[in-house]
Short mmCIF file of all heavy atoms in Angstrom, two decimals:
data_model
loop_
_atom_site.label_atom_id
_atom_site.label_comp_id
_atom_site.label_asym_id
_atom_site.label_seq_id
_atom_site.Cartn_x
_atom_site.Cartn_y
_atom_site.Cartn_z
N LEU A 218 -6.32 3.59 -13.77
CA LEU A 218 -6.44 4.51 -12.58
C LEU A 218 -7.79 5.23 -12.65
O LEU A 218 -8.11 5.79 -13.69
CB LEU A 218 -5.32 5.53 -12.61
CG LEU A 218 -3.92 4.96 -12.47
CD1 LEU A 218 -2.85 6.03 -12.61
CD2 LEU A 218 -3.74 4.15 -11.06
N GLU A 219 -8.57 5.17 -11.63
CA GLU A 219 -9.87 5.78 -11.60
C GLU A 219 -9.80 7.12 -10.88
O GLU A 219 -9.36 7.21 -9.74
CB GLU A 219 -10.91 4.89 -10.85
CG GLU A 219 -11.10 3.51 -11.60
CD GLU A 219 -12.32 2.77 -11.02
OE1 GLU A 219 -13.02 3.25 -10.14
OE2 GLU A 219 -12.55 1.61 -11.53
N ILE A 220 -10.19 8.18 -11.63
CA ILE A 220 -10.22 9.52 -10.99
C ILE A 220 -11.65 10.04 -11.03
O ILE A 220 -12.52 9.44 -11.77
CB ILE A 220 -9.30 10.51 -11.76
CG1 ILE A 220 -9.77 10.57 -13.25
CG2 ILE A 220 -7.83 10.10 -11.68
CD1 ILE A 220 -9.17 11.73 -14.00
N THR A 221 -11.93 11.00 -10.23
CA THR A 221 -13.28 11.57 -10.24
C THR A 221 -13.26 13.05 -10.63
O THR A 221 -12.18 13.67 -10.67
CB THR A 221 -13.95 11.47 -8.85
OG1 THR A 221 -13.16 12.19 -7.93
CG2 THR A 221 -14.10 10.04 -8.39
N GLU A 222 -14.39 13.62 -10.86
CA GLU A 222 -14.46 15.01 -11.27
C GLU A 222 -13.89 15.92 -10.24
O GLU A 222 -13.55 17.12 -10.52
CB GLU A 222 -15.85 15.44 -11.61
CG GLU A 222 -16.72 15.32 -10.35
CD GLU A 222 -17.95 16.21 -10.42
OE1 GLU A 222 -17.96 17.14 -11.22
OE2 GLU A 222 -18.89 15.95 -9.67
N GLY A 223 -13.84 15.43 -8.98
CA GLY A 223 -13.24 16.26 -7.91
C GLY A 223 -11.87 16.81 -8.25
O GLY A 223 -11.52 17.94 -7.77
N VAL A 224 -11.10 16.13 -9.15
CA VAL A 224 -9.81 16.71 -9.47
C VAL A 224 -9.98 18.01 -10.22
O VAL A 224 -9.00 18.72 -10.39
CB VAL A 224 -8.94 15.72 -10.31
CG1 VAL A 224 -8.75 14.41 -9.59
CG2 VAL A 224 -9.56 15.43 -11.70
N LEU A 225 -11.18 18.26 -10.75
CA LEU A 225 -11.33 19.48 -11.53
C LEU A 225 -11.64 20.75 -10.67
O LEU A 225 -11.72 21.83 -11.18
CB LEU A 225 -12.47 19.35 -12.51
CG LEU A 225 -12.23 18.37 -13.60
CD1 LEU A 225 -13.48 18.20 -14.48
CD2 LEU A 225 -11.09 18.83 -14.49
N ILE A 226 -11.79 20.52 -9.37
CA ILE A 226 -12.20 21.69 -8.57
C ILE A 226 -11.29 22.82 -8.56
O ILE A 226 -11.64 23.96 -8.77
CB ILE A 226 -12.49 21.20 -7.07
CG1 ILE A 226 -13.84 20.45 -7.10
CG2 ILE A 226 -12.63 22.36 -6.15
CD1 ILE A 226 -14.27 19.88 -5.75
N ASP A 227 -9.98 22.55 -8.36
CA ASP A 227 -9.06 23.65 -8.58
C ASP A 227 -7.79 23.27 -9.25
O ASP A 227 -7.53 22.08 -9.55
CB ASP A 227 -8.80 24.40 -7.22
CG ASP A 227 -8.64 23.52 -6.03
OD1 ASP A 227 -8.07 22.41 -6.15
OD2 ASP A 227 -9.10 24.01 -5.00
N ASP A 228 -6.97 24.24 -9.62
CA ASP A 228 -5.73 24.00 -10.38
C ASP A 228 -5.90 23.05 -11.58
O ASP A 228 -5.21 22.12 -11.75
CB ASP A 228 -4.67 23.26 -9.44
CG ASP A 228 -4.05 24.24 -8.47
OD1 ASP A 228 -3.96 25.42 -8.82
OD2 ASP A 228 -3.66 23.79 -7.39
N ARG A 229 -6.92 23.41 -12.37
CA ARG A 229 -7.29 22.53 -13.45
C ARG A 229 -6.07 22.17 -14.36
O ARG A 229 -5.80 21.01 -14.75
CB ARG A 229 -8.36 23.12 -14.34
CG ARG A 229 -9.61 23.26 -13.53
CD ARG A 229 -10.68 23.80 -14.35
NE ARG A 229 -11.92 23.71 -13.51
CZ ARG A 229 -13.11 23.77 -13.96
NH1 ARG A 229 -13.37 23.99 -15.21
NH2 ARG A 229 -14.11 23.69 -13.13
N ASP A 230 -5.28 23.20 -14.76
CA ASP A 230 -4.17 23.00 -15.66
C ASP A 230 -3.17 21.99 -15.03
O ASP A 230 -2.71 21.07 -15.70
CB ASP A 230 -3.46 24.27 -15.97
CG ASP A 230 -4.35 25.18 -16.83
OD1 ASP A 230 -5.27 24.57 -17.44
OD2 ASP A 230 -4.12 26.44 -16.79
N GLU A 231 -2.87 22.23 -13.77
CA GLU A 231 -1.93 21.30 -13.04
C GLU A 231 -2.45 19.88 -13.00
O GLU A 231 -1.72 18.97 -13.23
CB GLU A 231 -1.80 21.89 -11.60
CG GLU A 231 -1.07 20.96 -10.63
CD GLU A 231 0.40 21.30 -10.52
OE1 GLU A 231 0.78 22.37 -11.09
OE2 GLU A 231 1.14 20.52 -9.90
N MET A 232 -3.82 19.73 -12.76
CA MET A 232 -4.35 18.39 -12.72
C MET A 232 -4.38 17.71 -14.03
O MET A 232 -4.04 16.54 -14.16
CB MET A 232 -5.80 18.45 -12.16
CG MET A 232 -5.92 18.93 -10.76
SD MET A 232 -5.00 17.86 -9.61
CE MET A 232 -3.76 18.99 -9.03
N VAL A 233 -4.67 18.46 -15.06
CA VAL A 233 -4.64 17.89 -16.47
C VAL A 233 -3.22 17.37 -16.79
O VAL A 233 -3.08 16.28 -17.32
CB VAL A 233 -5.11 18.99 -17.50
CG1 VAL A 233 -4.88 18.41 -18.93
CG2 VAL A 233 -6.62 19.28 -17.32
N LYS A 234 -2.24 18.19 -16.36
CA LYS A 234 -0.86 17.86 -16.60
C LYS A 234 -0.55 16.58 -15.84
O LYS A 234 0.16 15.61 -16.36
CB LYS A 234 0.06 18.95 -16.21
CG LYS A 234 1.49 18.64 -16.53
CD LYS A 234 2.51 19.76 -16.15
CE LYS A 234 3.93 19.34 -16.37
NZ LYS A 234 4.28 18.14 -15.71
N ARG A 235 -0.94 16.47 -14.59
CA ARG A 235 -0.62 15.34 -13.74
C ARG A 235 -1.18 14.07 -14.33
O ARG A 235 -0.60 13.03 -14.43
CB ARG A 235 -1.26 15.57 -12.36
CG ARG A 235 -0.98 14.53 -11.33
CD ARG A 235 0.43 14.59 -10.74
NE ARG A 235 1.02 15.98 -10.69
CZ ARG A 235 0.65 16.92 -9.86
NH1 ARG A 235 -0.15 16.67 -8.86
NH2 ARG A 235 1.25 18.15 -9.97
N ILE A 236 -2.47 14.19 -14.80
CA ILE A 236 -3.10 12.96 -15.37
C ILE A 236 -2.47 12.57 -16.65
O ILE A 236 -2.30 11.42 -17.02
CB ILE A 236 -4.64 13.20 -15.46
CG1 ILE A 236 -5.14 13.26 -14.04
CG2 ILE A 236 -5.32 12.11 -16.21
CD1 ILE A 236 -6.47 13.94 -13.88
N ASN A 237 -2.02 13.59 -17.48
CA ASN A 237 -1.29 13.28 -18.69
C ASN A 237 0.03 12.56 -18.36
O ASN A 237 0.39 11.63 -19.03
CB ASN A 237 -0.96 14.58 -19.40
CG ASN A 237 -1.97 14.85 -20.48
OD1 ASN A 237 -2.22 14.06 -21.35
ND2 ASN A 237 -2.59 16.02 -20.42
N ASP A 238 0.71 12.98 -17.29
CA ASP A 238 1.96 12.37 -16.87
C ASP A 238 1.70 10.90 -16.48
O ASP A 238 2.47 10.00 -16.84
CB ASP A 238 2.58 13.11 -15.69
CG ASP A 238 3.19 14.44 -16.09
OD1 ASP A 238 3.33 14.64 -17.32
OD2 ASP A 238 3.56 15.17 -15.19
N LEU A 239 0.59 10.68 -15.78
CA LEU A 239 0.31 9.31 -15.39
C LEU A 239 -0.03 8.47 -16.61
O LEU A 239 0.45 7.34 -16.77
CB LEU A 239 -0.96 9.33 -14.41
CG LEU A 239 -0.63 9.79 -13.04
CD1 LEU A 239 -2.00 10.04 -12.29
CD2 LEU A 239 0.17 8.85 -12.22
N HIS A 240 -0.79 9.05 -17.48
CA HIS A 240 -1.17 8.33 -18.79
C HIS A 240 0.04 7.92 -19.55
O HIS A 240 0.08 6.88 -20.16
CB HIS A 240 -2.10 9.19 -19.55
CG HIS A 240 -2.90 8.45 -20.54
ND1 HIS A 240 -2.79 8.65 -21.89
CD2 HIS A 240 -3.86 7.50 -20.40
CE1 HIS A 240 -3.61 7.84 -22.57
NE2 HIS A 240 -4.28 7.12 -21.64
N GLU A 241 1.05 8.77 -19.54
CA GLU A 241 2.29 8.53 -20.27
C GLU A 241 3.09 7.31 -19.73
O GLU A 241 3.86 6.80 -20.44
CB GLU A 241 3.11 9.82 -20.35
CG GLU A 241 2.75 10.55 -21.64
CD GLU A 241 3.32 11.97 -21.61
OE1 GLU A 241 4.31 12.23 -20.92
OE2 GLU A 241 2.66 12.79 -22.29
N LEU A 242 2.71 6.98 -18.52
CA LEU A 242 3.38 5.73 -17.98
C LEU A 242 2.87 4.47 -18.74
O LEU A 242 3.34 3.38 -18.53
CB LEU A 242 3.10 5.60 -16.45
CG LEU A 242 3.67 6.72 -15.59
CD1 LEU A 242 3.15 6.43 -14.14
CD2 LEU A 242 5.16 6.77 -15.66
N GLY A 243 1.77 4.66 -19.48
CA GLY A 243 1.21 3.56 -20.24
C GLY A 243 0.01 2.93 -19.55
O GLY A 243 -0.54 1.90 -19.95
N VAL A 244 -0.48 3.55 -18.48
CA VAL A 244 -1.69 3.05 -17.77
C VAL A 244 -2.92 3.68 -18.44
O VAL A 244 -2.81 4.61 -19.24
CB VAL A 244 -1.66 3.48 -16.30
CG1 VAL A 244 -0.38 2.99 -15.58
CG2 VAL A 244 -1.85 4.95 -16.07
N ARG A 245 -4.07 3.12 -18.12
CA ARG A 245 -5.30 3.66 -18.66
C ARG A 245 -5.92 4.53 -17.59
O ARG A 245 -5.73 4.34 -16.35
CB ARG A 245 -6.19 2.56 -19.11
CG ARG A 245 -5.83 1.99 -20.48
CD ARG A 245 -6.65 0.86 -20.91
NE ARG A 245 -6.39 -0.34 -20.22
CZ ARG A 245 -7.19 -1.38 -20.12
NH1 ARG A 245 -8.38 -1.28 -20.74
NH2 ARG A 245 -6.85 -2.48 -19.48
N VAL A 246 -6.82 5.48 -17.99
CA VAL A 246 -7.45 6.37 -17.03
C VAL A 246 -8.92 6.28 -17.22
O VAL A 246 -9.39 6.37 -18.38
CB VAL A 246 -6.96 7.84 -17.26
CG1 VAL A 246 -7.72 8.77 -16.29
CG2 VAL A 246 -5.42 7.98 -17.04
N ALA A 247 -9.59 6.09 -16.13
CA ALA A 247 -11.09 6.03 -16.19
C ALA A 247 -11.69 7.12 -15.34
O ALA A 247 -11.08 7.58 -14.30
CB ALA A 247 -11.55 4.67 -15.56
N LEU A 248 -12.82 7.70 -15.82
CA LEU A 248 -13.47 8.75 -15.03
C LEU A 248 -14.56 8.04 -14.29
O LEU A 248 -15.51 7.46 -14.84
CB LEU A 248 -14.07 9.79 -15.98
CG LEU A 248 -14.58 11.06 -15.34
CD1 LEU A 248 -13.48 11.71 -14.46
CD2 LEU A 248 -15.00 12.05 -16.33
N ASP A 249 -14.45 8.04 -12.95
CA ASP A 249 -15.39 7.28 -12.06
C ASP A 249 -16.60 8.12 -11.77
O ASP A 249 -16.58 9.36 -11.79
CB ASP A 249 -14.58 6.98 -10.70
CG ASP A 249 -15.17 5.77 -9.98
OD1 ASP A 249 -16.15 5.23 -10.43
OD2 ASP A 249 -14.54 5.47 -8.93
N ASP A 250 -17.67 7.48 -11.43
CA ASP A 250 -18.92 8.14 -10.96
C ASP A 250 -19.40 9.15 -11.90
O ASP A 250 -19.94 10.22 -11.53
CB ASP A 250 -18.69 8.80 -9.59
CG ASP A 250 -18.18 7.75 -8.54
OD1 ASP A 250 -18.45 6.55 -8.76
OD2 ASP A 250 -17.54 8.20 -7.60
N PHE A 251 -19.20 8.89 -13.22
CA PHE A 251 -19.59 9.89 -14.23
C PHE A 251 -21.11 10.16 -14.14
O PHE A 251 -21.94 9.25 -14.12
CB PHE A 251 -19.23 9.39 -15.65
CG PHE A 251 -19.58 10.38 -16.72
CD1 PHE A 251 -18.89 11.54 -16.86
CD2 PHE A 251 -20.72 10.12 -17.54
CE1 PHE A 251 -19.24 12.49 -17.79
CE2 PHE A 251 -21.00 11.06 -18.50
CZ PHE A 251 -20.27 12.25 -18.67
N GLY A 252 -21.45 11.44 -14.17
CA GLY A 252 -22.86 11.86 -14.15
C GLY A 252 -23.34 12.13 -12.71
O GLY A 252 -24.49 12.61 -12.54
N SER A 253 -22.55 11.92 -11.67
CA SER A 253 -23.00 12.10 -10.37
C SER A 253 -22.77 13.57 -9.95
O SER A 253 -23.32 14.00 -8.93
CB SER A 253 -22.31 11.17 -9.35
OG SER A 253 -20.95 11.44 -9.31
N GLY A 254 -21.94 14.28 -10.64
CA GLY A 254 -21.65 15.63 -10.26
C GLY A 254 -21.92 16.61 -11.41
O GLY A 254 -22.71 16.31 -12.25
N TYR A 255 -21.26 17.67 -11.40
CA TYR A 255 -21.47 18.64 -12.43
C TYR A 255 -20.23 18.67 -13.31
O TYR A 255 -19.23 19.07 -12.94
CB TYR A 255 -21.77 20.03 -11.87
CG TYR A 255 -20.63 20.65 -11.14
CD1 TYR A 255 -19.86 21.67 -11.65
CD2 TYR A 255 -20.29 20.16 -9.85
CE1 TYR A 255 -18.78 22.20 -10.92
CE2 TYR A 255 -19.22 20.70 -9.16
CZ TYR A 255 -18.49 21.71 -9.71
OH TYR A 255 -17.42 22.19 -8.99
N TYR A 256 -20.33 18.03 -14.43
CA TYR A 256 -19.17 18.00 -15.36
C TYR A 256 -19.31 19.19 -16.30
O TYR A 256 -20.33 19.44 -16.84
CB TYR A 256 -19.10 16.69 -16.23
CG TYR A 256 -18.57 15.56 -15.39
CD1 TYR A 256 -19.38 14.77 -14.62
CD2 TYR A 256 -17.18 15.39 -15.35
CE1 TYR A 256 -18.87 13.77 -13.93
CE2 TYR A 256 -16.68 14.39 -14.61
CZ TYR A 256 -17.48 13.53 -13.90
OH TYR A 256 -16.99 12.54 -13.12
N ASN A 257 -18.15 19.80 -16.49
CA ASN A 257 -18.04 20.76 -17.60
C ASN A 257 -17.57 19.85 -18.76
O ASN A 257 -16.44 19.39 -18.75
CB ASN A 257 -17.03 21.79 -17.25
CG ASN A 257 -16.77 22.70 -18.42
OD1 ASN A 257 -16.98 22.38 -19.52
ND2 ASN A 257 -16.29 23.80 -18.07
N LEU A 258 -18.52 19.43 -19.60
CA LEU A 258 -18.18 18.40 -20.60
C LEU A 258 -16.94 18.78 -21.45
O LEU A 258 -16.26 17.92 -21.89
CB LEU A 258 -19.37 18.06 -21.43
CG LEU A 258 -20.55 17.47 -20.68
CD1 LEU A 258 -21.72 17.27 -21.63
CD2 LEU A 258 -20.13 16.14 -20.04
N GLY A 259 -16.79 20.09 -21.63
CA GLY A 259 -15.64 20.53 -22.39
C GLY A 259 -14.33 20.04 -21.84
O GLY A 259 -13.37 19.72 -22.61
#
Side-chain angles (χ1 to χ4, degrees):
L218 297 176
E219 298 192 0
I220 57 166
T221 59
E222 64 156 339
V224 302
L225 291 176
I226 287 179
D227 38 37
D228 283 333
R229 295 183 173 196
D230 292 338
E231 170 95 10
M232 293 303 114
V233 170
K234 183 178 176 306
R235 185 75 31 77
I236 292 159
N237 266 304
D238 288 348
L239 287 168
H240 199 244
E241 269 164 23
L242 298 175
V244 306
R245 284 177 284 161
V246 176
L248 191 58
D249 203 356
D250 304 336
F251 181 70
S253 64
Y255 63 106
Y256 280 91
N257 176 337
L258 294 178

